[in-house]
Amino acid sequence: MSLAVAATGWRLLLLLCAAGLGAVGAPQPPNILLLLMDDMGWGDLGVNGEPSRETPNLDRMAAEGMLFPNFYAASPLCSPSRAALLTGRLPIRSGFYTSNARARNAYTPQEVVGGIPDSERLLPALLKKAGYASKIVGKWYYEEFPINLKTGEANLTQLYLGEALDFIRRQRSLRRPFFLYWAVDATHAPVYASRPFLGSSQRGRYGDAVREIDDSVGRILALLRDLGLQDSTFVFFTSDNGAALISAPKQGGSNGPFLCGKETTFEGGMREPAIAWWPGHVPAGQVSRQLGSVMDLFTTSLALAGLQPPSDREIDGLNLLPVLLQGQLINRPIFYYRGNTLMAATAGQHKAHFWTWTNSWEEFQQGVDFCPGQNVSGVTTHTQEEHTALPLIFHLGRDPGERFPLSFASAEYQEALRRLGPAVQQHQATLQPGQPQLNVCNVAVMNWAPPGCEKLGKCLPPPPSAPEKCSWPH
Amino acid sequence: MSLAVAATGWRLLLLLCAAGLGAVGAPQPPNILLLLMDDMGWGDLGVNGEPSRETPNLDRMAAEGMLFPNFYAASPLCSPSRAALLTGRLPIRSGFYTSNARARNAYTPQEVVGGIPDSERLLPALLKKAGYASKIVGKWYYEEFPINLKTGEANLTQLYLGEALDFIRRQRSLRRPFFLYWAVDATHAPVYASRPFLGSSQRGRYGDAVREIDDSVGRILALLRDLGLQDSTFVFFTSDNGAALISAPKQGGSNGPFLCGKETTFEGGMREPAIAWWPGHVPAGQVSRQLGSVMDLFTTSLALAGLQPPSDREIDGLNLLPVLLQGQLINRPIFYYRGNTLMAATAGQHKAHFWTWTNSWEEFQQGVDFCPGQNVSGVTTHTQEEHTALPLIFHLGRDPGERFPLSFASAEYQEALRRLGPAVQQHQATLQPGQPQLNVCNVAVMNWAPPGCEKLGKCLPPPPSAPEKCSWPH
C-alpha cells in the first residue's frame, strides 16, 4: 500500500491543474478531510446520547452539519473496514478476507502475508488525478511509540493533531486541494491521552482519549475557519467499527442502545457515529436517515473531486452528494459480512440475520465476551447458527437493540422478507469474491528491518520463512 | 387529593396578591409548567440519542435550555413517583408505599384504599399562597376515553393539548401566575396517537405517540412565545419512570444505554429525560451534570414562587435554581427505593446496590421480563438478593449500563464505599417512614358512582365492602 503520497515533483503539476481549472472558470475542488476513529462506538458522542456529554466539538460539528444515525462500517473489524473505505469495495470483493474458516474476521497483524491487492484502486491514488495532495496521519506510523500502560499517558494524539494542522497550513499556502485521512487510534486499547486530558473525563481513561480527540477535532475545524477553508473543505467524521466491549468499561467505548460490539455483525459491531461538515454546502442542523457506509466516503470523495469511480469493477460505495446537498434519500441495502460470510442485511427499517454468532463457547467461557450484559436468546449465539432459510428479522426503528425478532408468521415478517430477499439474492448471484488475501501468516514477513533501522540501531535479522495458515478465532 | 384547583372565588384574592407584589416593586413570580410524561424512557429523545431522531421540538427545547442527563424519578413506578413530585418527599416518608411484602412497587388502581395522606402538603395548594392558579391536565380525568386498541387511534393528546393552550391563554388574559401540570399519558400502554400522527414515526405506534407529544410541546412553547410569556414561564419536561420494556417494542419506549426499565431500580427504571426551559434566565445550550430528582420540581417550583418548602417535615427535593441560573453543582445522593426497601444509592459517579431484583422466577418464566435482552450475572437477579454488607458498586460514568461491578478488592471500590456509606447511613438513621398507605384494597372504594354519573346514566351500585391485603407482585 502506497498511502504516504510524497509531494516532491508534484507541486508543478498541481499548480498547472489548478491553473487549468481556473482558466475554464471551474472552482478548485474541495479539500477532503476524513476523520476516522478507531474502535469508537456510536454511543460515544454526546450528540448520540452519551450521558456524560463530553464531545462538545463533535456535537457542534453535527449541529453545523449533517448527522447520520444510520451509518455503517464495512466490517466489524478495523483492517477490512479501512480497506473498504480506501477501495470503495466490500472486503469480499477486494479479497481482504480469509477463507481459512467460515465467518472469521481477519486483519493485518505484521505476520500476515497479504493485504489490499495491488490491483485495487485506492482513493488517494485516484484523487491524484484531480490534483490532490494526500496524507495519512495516524494508524500507520514508523516507530513504536511509548504508551505508559499504567497511567495511560501518551502524547500521540497531539502529534497526530500537529501533523494534521501542519499539513493543512502547508496545503493552504500552496493553494492545492488536499485529501487528509486522519486515522487516530487513542480509543483503541490500550487507550491513551496526553497529560492535560488524563483524568479530565467523567468516563475514565477511555473518556480522556475521547476528550482529547474531540478537542483535536475542534482545533482542526477552527484552523479551517481561521484559514478561510471552511466552505472549501468537506469533513467527515466516523469510526472503523463498533466499540470494543471486550475492553469495556475502562478501555472500551459505548455502542449506545445497540446490541454487542466490535467483531460482531449486530448493530453495535457496525453502526458508527457519522457527521458530515461542509459549511455553506451541507445545510446545518440536519439529520439524515440515509443508510450510509464508510465505502460511500470513497465514491463521495471522488465525486467531490469531479472524478468517476473506477468502471472496471463493482464499487459498493454510493455518492452521497445528493443526500448531503439536496437531502435526498437513496434506497440501498447494507450488507454485514464477517469474513467470507454474509451474516445479515438491512433494507429500509428491516434487518435480516442469515447467520448469528458472537464467539465460541470455549472463548466465552474464558471470559471473552463481545456482548457483556446482553443476551438475546437464539440471537447472541455462541455457535454459528444458520438462518438462511428463515432469517431472523428485526425492525430497527422500533427495536434498534435487536431484542425482539419478528414473528415468522406475521404479515410484517413476510413483507420484509419479500423486500429483503431479492436484494440479497441479487447481491449474492452477481458477487465475484476476490481471492482471499488473509489466509497465510509468516513471521518472516514482519518488519524486521524497516527503512532507516540502521540509524536507529533497530535492524533485526528476519527468521527463516515459515508460512502457515493464519488462525482467525473470531 | 384535591388537585383540580377551582378558580371560582379565587380571582379577587389572586389579583390582590399580584397587586400586592406589584406595590413593593417585586415582579410577578414566573409561571410554572411541568410536562410530565408517562413511561417515556431516557432514550426516547433525539437529544438523548434515539436513532430515529423524531423529537425536533424537545431537542430544540434542550438546545434553548438546560439538559439534565442525570435526572431521576423518585420511584420506578408511576403513582409513587408522581406523589413524590407533588409532595417533594420520598414515598417512604409520605407513606405512599406498601409493607405487605418487601420491596414491592405499589400504586393506585381504583380498588386501593389510600393514596397521598391528607397530612401531606401538595405543590398546587402551596403555590396558592403566592397567587398561582393551578391546573392539572392529563392522567386524572373524568370519563373513560376510547382508545381503538386495534389501530391505536385516540384523540386524547389533542384534548390535553387544547386544555393546556386554553388554560395558558386564559391565565395570560387574567395576568395571573399559573402552575400547569401537563401529565399526558399517550406513551403508556396501550399507546395511542391521533390520526395525523398514526404511522408518522419510524418507530411504530409508540413512536407515533412520542411524535404527537413532541408536536404538542412545540405548540405549547410556541404559544408561550406568541403571548410573550417565554421569559416569565419556567418549563420543565421529564417522565415519571423508565420505559416499560415489558411493553416494548410496540408499546414501550427506550432507556437508551441503561439497564432494564420500569419497575426496577436499575438506571433504566429511574433515570429520566429532563429539560429545563426558561429563556432569558436558564442559559441556552447547557448540559448540567447535576444529579436531579422529580422531587426537586416541588422545591424549585416553590422557590420560583418565592416560597419556602414546609419546615415541619423532611423535604427530599432540592431547589435547583442555583443549578439552573448559575450553573452550580450541588452534592447530593440519589436514593432508589422499591416500596419499603432502599435498593440502591448514587453519590457522585458511583452507584451502590444494596438489594437487587428484577422480578420473580415464576413471572419471568411466564414471559414477564423487565430487562429484555439484558442479563448481568448476579445483578439482574430474579430473587431478591441482599448486598447490604458488601454492596455491588458501579461507576456510572464509565459504565452507565451497570454491566461491570467494581471489584470488591479495588481501591476504587473501597473509596466509593467510604463516600457512599455515611450518606446512606445518615439517611437511614434519620428516616421516619410514614404509615404505609397502599396495603389495603377494597373493590367497594372504586368509583362506582362518580359525581355527575346520573346525567350520564353511569351510576353503579357499590358492592359490599371487602377489604383485603393488596397483592403487589413487583
Side-chain angles (χ1 to χ4, degrees), chain B residues 121-375:
Chain B
R121 313 284 302 274
L122 300 187
L123 180 57
L126 292 168
L127 288 174
K128 269 192 186 173
K129 294 182 192 164
Y132 279 72
S134 293
K135 186 180 177 84
I136 179 168
V137 175
K139 193 132 179 173
W140 288 260
Y141 40 87
Y142 311 110
E143 177 65 82
E144 293 201 350
F145 195 91
I147 297 170
N148 184 326
L149 293 180
K150 199 174 160 75
T151 65
E153 183 175 347
N155 212 37
L156 205 40
T157 299
Q158 292 305 313
L159 290 184
Y160 293 153
L161 171 61
E163 286 284 322
L165 299 178
D166 287 350
F167 177 75
I168 293 168
R169 281 196 202 96
R170 202 158 56 242
Q171 304 316 313
R172 173 72 181 90
S173 68
L174 297 170
R175 302 195 177 271
R176 64 167 78 158
F178 66 79
F179 169 63
L180 173 58
Y181 179 33
W182 195 65
V184 295
D185 64 356
T187 47
H188 188 298
V191 300
Y192 60 81
S194 65
R195 190 162 303 175
F197 292 92
L198 278 180
S200 69
S201 163
Q202 302 288 305
R203 305 178 63 203
R205 191 178 296 177
Y206 182 89
D208 297 342
V210 172
R211 287 197 73 146
E212 184 162 18
I213 289 172
D214 177 75
D215 181 79
S216 298
V217 171
R219 286 172 195 270
I220 290 170
L221 299 187
L223 177 65
L224 293 177
R225 279 196 201 88
D226 289 349
L227 297 177
L229 293 177
Q230 75 275 16
D231 58 0
S232 57
T233 306
F234 174 80
V235 187
F236 202 95
F237 174 96
T238 189
S239 183
D240 62 348
N241 49 244
L245 301 185
I246 38 166
S247 306
K250 292 196 176 175
Q251 308 255 347
S254 164
N255 295 316
F258 299 118
L259 187 62
C260 301
K262 179 179 175 177
E263 302 272 10
T264 79
T265 48
F266 301 105
E267 292 296 287
M270 289 180 58
R271 205 190 290 215
E272 305 305 327
I275 307 167
W277 187 90
W278 191 14
H281 302 270
V282 173
Q286 300 299 301
V287 177
S288 173
R289 298 210 318 269
Q290 177 66 42
L291 297 184
S293 162
V294 293
M295 298 181 290
D296 301 345
L297 301 177
F298 175 90
T299 309
T300 305
S301 295
L302 293 178
L304 285 166
L307 300 171
Q308 294 293 322
S311 57
D312 62 344
R313 63 196 72 203
E314 282 290 327
I315 299 292
D316 296 287
L318 283 184
N319 173 8
L320 291 180
L321 289 183
V323 178
L324 292 159
L325 306 180
Q326 288 107 40
Q328 292 183 23
L329 285 179
I330 305 169
N331 194 18
R332 69 96 70 90
I334 294 290
F335 297 112
Y336 307 66
Y337 273 89
R338 188 161 170 174
N340 61 357
T341 304
L342 179 66
M343 303 287 286
T346 290
Q349 294 270 66
H350 288 103
K351 177 175 180 180
H353 289 270
F354 308 109
W355 288 86
T356 53
W357 193 40
T358 55
N359 61 343
S360 69
W361 277 117
E362 291 72 19
E363 268 207 352
F364 181 64
Q365 278 154 1
Q366 286 163 22
V368 179
D369 190 350
F370 295 153
C371 319
Q374 298 178 316
N375 176 31

Side-chain angles (χ1 to χ4, degrees), chain A residues 97-406:
Chain A
Y97 69 96
T98 183
S99 59
N100 285 0
R102 167 179 281 281
R104 299 305 166 98
N105 296 313
Y107 65 110
T108 47
Q110 282 197 36
E111 65 271 25
V112 81
V113 181
I116 302 179
D118 289 341
S119 56
E120 291 297 313
R121 313 284 302 275
L122 299 186
L123 180 57
L126 292 168
L127 288 175
K128 268 192 187 173
K129 295 183 192 165
Y132 279 73
S134 293
K135 185 178 177 86
I136 180 168
V137 175
K139 191 130 181 173
W140 287 261
Y141 43 88
Y142 311 110
E143 177 66 84
E144 293 201 352
F145 196 89
I147 297 170
N148 184 326
L149 293 180
K150 201 174 158 77
T151 65
E153 182 175 348
N155 213 37
L156 205 39
T157 300
Q158 293 304 312
L159 291 183
Y160 292 153
L161 171 61
E163 286 283 324
L165 299 178
D166 287 350
F167 177 75
I168 293 168
R169 281 197 202 94
R170 201 156 59 244
Q171 305 316 313
R172 173 71 180 91
S173 68
L174 296 171
R175 302 193 177 273
R176 64 168 78 159
F178 65 79
F179 169 62
L180 174 58
Y181 179 33
W182 195 64
V184 295
D185 65 356
T187 47
H188 188 297
V191 301
Y192 60 83
S194 65
R195 190 162 304 175
F197 291 92
L198 278 180
S200 69
S201 164
Q202 301 289 305
R203 304 179 63 204
R205 192 178 294 177
Y206 181 88
D208 297 343
V210 172
R211 287 196 73 146
E212 184 162 19
I213 289 172
D214 177 74
D215 181 80
S216 298
V217 171
R219 288 173 194 270
I220 290 170
L221 299 188
L223 178 65
L224 293 177
R225 279 197 201 87
D226 290 348
L227 297 177
L229 292 177
Q230 75 275 18
D231 57 1
S232 59
T233 306
F234 173 80
V235 186
F236 202 95
F237 175 95
T238 189
S239 182
D240 62 347
N241 49 245
L245 301 186
I246 39 167
S247 306
K250 291 197 176 174
Q251 309 253 347
S254 164
N255 295 316
F258 299 118
L259 186 63
C260 301
K262 180 178 174 177
E263 302 271 11
T264 79
T265 47
F266 300 106
E267 292 296 288
M270 288 179 59
R271 206 190 288 215
E272 305 304 328
I275 305 168
W277 185 91
W278 192 14
H281 302 270
V282 174
Q286 301 299 302
V287 177
S288 174
R289 298 210 319 268
Q290 177 66 44
L291 297 183
S293 162
V294 292
M295 298 181 289
D296 301 344
L297 301 177
F298 175 89
T299 309
T300 305
S301 295
L302 293 178
L304 286 166
L307 299 172
Q308 294 294 322
S311 58
D312 61 344
R313 63 197 71 205
E314 282 291 326
I315 300 291
D316 295 287
L318 283 185
N319 173 9
L320 292 181
L321 289 184
V323 178
L324 293 159
L325 305 181
Q326 288 107 38
Q328 292 184 21
L329 286 178
I330 305 169
N331 194 16
R332 70 97 70 90
I334 294 289
F335 297 111
Y336 306 67
Y337 273 88
R338 188 160 170 174
N340 62 356
T341 304
L342 180 64
M343 304 287 285
T346 290
Q349 293 270 67
H350 288 103
K351 178 174 180 181
H353 289 270
F354 309 109
W355 287 86
T356 53
W357 193 40
T358 57
N359 62 343
S360 69
W361 277 116
E362 293 72 18
E363 270 207 351
F364 181 64
Q365 278 153 1
Q366 286 161 25
V368 178
D369 191 350
F370 295 154
C371 319
Q374 299 177 316
N375 176 31
V376 183
S377 180
V379 177
T380 53
T381 59
H382 289 285
T383 48
Q384 295 187 350
E385 295 292 330
E386 184 167 5
H387 313 277
T388 51
L390 207 59
L392 300 176
I393 301 185
F394 296 89
H395 186 283
L396 294 180
R398 288 197 305 271
D399 179 23
E402 295 168 283
R403 298 178 192 179
F404 306 97
L406 299 185

Side-chain angles (χ1 to χ4, degrees), chain A residues 383-434:
Chain A
T383 48
Q384 295 187 350
E385 295 292 330
E386 184 167 5
H387 313 277
T388 51
L390 207 59
L392 300 176
I393 301 185
F394 296 89
H395 186 283
L396 294 180
R398 288 197 305 271
D399 179 23
E402 295 168 283
R403 298 178 192 179
F404 306 97
L406 299 185
S407 158
F408 297 129
S410 66
E412 182 182 356
Y413 181 93
Q414 296 300 330
E415 193 191 315
L417 197 58
R418 264 197 300 278
R419 281 187 298 107
L420 272 158
V424 171
Q425 281 152 19
Q426 193 200 352
H427 171 72
Q428 293 191 303
T430 59
L431 178 74
Q432 293 183 306

